Amino acid sequence: MTTVLTSREFNQLASEAKKSSLAGPVIITDRGRPAHVLLSFADYKKLTDPDGAQRTIVDLLAMPAGAAD
């Protein structure tokens, strides 16, 4: 479930926004346009490391070109 808040609502409802981020992304708008996304840390980790493997710089350098994308 995606929640949309204005910047003003986010400033006033930060605690509720954090709770909402556990159920899905919270899009924060600025002048009616999406400007930021608040995610739970677990969702962020899924996006940045989908297979759950912790990679070091050595691992990334050893990968074939395009494999980390």
Side-chain angles (χ1 to χ4, degrees):
M1 181 172 110
T2 301
T3 302
V4 178
L5 297 173
T6 65
S7 292
R8 176 174 280 185
E9 290 171 329
F10 176 73
N11 287 333
Q12 295 172 348
L13 305 169
S15 181
E16 288 86 348
K18 290 192 301 185
K19 289 176 189 171
S20 293
S21 74
L22 298 174
V26 177
I27 298 172
I28 303 161
T29 63
D30 191 11
R31 295 187 172 105
R33 295 184 179 167
H36 304 278
V37 178
L38 178 67
L39 299 171
S40 68
F41 189 72
D43 287 343
Y44 168 76
K45 287 300 287 178
K46 287 179 195 172
L47 286 175
T48 58
D49 198 9
D51 63 359
Q54 293 280 336
R55 294 189 181 126
T56 67
I57 189 69
V58 174
D59 296 329
L60 292 171
L61 291 172
M63 289 182 166
D69 296 332

